[in-house]
Amino acid sequence: KQEVTQIPAALSVPEGENLVLNCSFTDSAIYNLQWFRQDPGKGLTSLLLIQSSQREQTSGRLNASLDKSSGRSTLYIAASQPGDSATYLCAVVPVGAGGTSYGKLTFGQGTILTVHP
Amino acid sequence: EPEVTQTPSHQVTQMGQEVILRCVPISNHLYFYWYRQILGQKVEFLVSFYNNEISEKSEIFDDQFSVERPDGSNFTLKIRSTKLEDSAMYFCASKLAIRSGANVLTFGAGSRLTVL
C-alpha cells in the first residue's frame, strides 16, 4: 500500500527565505506526482504536476523535483512571501490499474508553512 | 477560470440523518471524484465516477454512501445515515481526460460536514 510522508510537518520562516519541502513515497510505481496548496477552510489548488518520466517542473518561484527511484520529491520555494503561508500537500497517482485510477491520489499529511514579514 | 463548485459550504446534521452534498464539476470534464479530509488527517480518496457509474471506491465508501449524477451537471454524494465519524471536509474533484498529464485533477472548495 502506498504511503506518502511529508517533512517537516510545520515550517516557519522569515519573508525572503528560500525553502524546501520534502515528500517521500514508499512505492516508486507512480504515474505522476502533484503538489497542492491548501488555504485554511479552502479547497486544494494544484501547483505543479510532474510526470513519472520527468525530473522537475517549474512555475514562477516554485520548482518541484522528482526522484522516482528513491521515492522522493522536493518543492523549492524561492524568495518566500507572507502570501505563501498555507499547507502544502503532495500526492501521487499509481501506475495504471486503468481507467479513473489516474485520478485516485494518495496524499501526504502536508507541511504547514508560515512566512512572517 | 473554470471551477468546481460545491454546496453547501458547511452543513450541521444530527447523527442518523441523511445528507446530500452537491458538486458542479467543470462542464466538459468526464471523470468525477469525492475525497474527504477528517480534521487533522490526510485527504483520502472515497470514490471515482465515470460514464454514469462508479469506477472505483475505497474501503471507506461503504453501503451508507452513494453517488449519482442525476441531471448531467450535478454530481452528488449521499450519506444515508450519518455517524459522528463522518464529520469531515468533503472535496469533489473532476478531470477532463484520463492519461493526459496536462489535465490535472481540479478540486472544489469543499463541504464541511459536522455530525452531532
Side-chain angles (χ1 to χ4, degrees), chain A residues 2 27 29-32 92-106, chain B residues 31 33 45 48 50 55-57 98-99:
Chain A
Q2 179 74 271
D27 185 350
I30 64 169
Y31 181 67
N32 64 43
V92 297
V93 173
V95 168
T100 52
S101 65
Y102 290 109
K104 183 184 175 185
L105 278 61
T106 299
Chain B
Y31 307 93
Y33 304 82
F45 167 81
S48 58
Y50 169 68
S55 302
E56 194 170 355
K57 57 185 181 180
I98 281 295
R99 284 186 176 265

Side-chain angles (χ1 to χ4, degrees), chain B residues 71-109:
Chain B
D71 58 9
S73 60
N74 289 287
F75 177 51
T76 62
L77 174 69
K78 181 191 290 186
I79 308 174
R80 186 162 55 221
S81 178
T82 50
K83 308 184 190 73
L84 295 175
E85 55 264 38
D86 294 328
S87 295
M89 180 76 94
Y90 288 82
F91 293 107
C92 174
S94 68
K95 186 173 168 65
L96 175 59
I98 281 295
R99 284 186 176 265
S100 170
N103 298 130
V104 301
L105 203 55
T106 302
F107 282 82

Side-chain angles (χ1 to χ4, degrees), chain B:
Chain B
E1 187 170 329
E3 291 183 334
V4 174
T5 306
Q6 290 187 241
T7 55
S9 57
H10 188 193
Q11 181 155 357
V12 180
T13 191
Q14 295 291 324
M15 192 168 55
Q17 294 295 304
E18 176 183 283
V19 162
I20 298 176
L21 305 179
R22 291 182 168 80
C23 169
V24 179
I26 294 173
S27 61
N28 60 341
H29 283 193
L30 301 175
Y31 307 93
F32 313 109
Y33 304 82
W34 284 100
Y35 285 77
R36 80 170 185 190
Q37 185 178 32
I38 295 171
L39 189 64
Q41 297 188 21
K42 295 182 180 183
V43 177
E44 304 171 286
F45 167 81
L46 289 178
V47 66
S48 58
F49 191 86
Y50 169 68
N51 201 26
N52 281 322
E53 61 182 22
I54 290 174
S55 302
E56 194 170 355
K57 57 185 181 180
S58 72
E59 56 207 25
I60 303 167
F61 194 89
D62 61 24
D63 292 344
Q64 293 299 314
F65 291 89
S66 63
V67 289
E68 64 175 359
R69 198 152 185 258
D71 58 9
S73 60
N74 289 287
F75 177 51
T76 62
L77 174 69
K78 181 191 290 186
I79 308 174
R80 186 162 55 221
S81 178
T82 50
K83 308 184 190 73
L84 295 175
E85 55 264 38
D86 294 328
S87 295
M89 180 76 94
Y90 288 82
F91 293 107
C92 174
S94 68
K95 186 173 168 65
L96 175 59
I98 281 295
R99 284 186 176 265
S100 170
N103 298 130
V104 301
L105 203 55
T106 302
F107 282 82
S111 292
R112 179 165 297 285
L113 176 64
T114 302
V115 182
L116 303 177

Side-chain angles (χ1 to χ4, degrees), chain A residues 51-63:
Chain A
Q51 297 282 42
S52 61
S53 57
Q54 297 174 322
R55 299 282 294 180
E56 65 178 322
Q57 282 285 338
T58 298
S59 176
R61 295 182 293 108
L62 305 179
N63 175 277

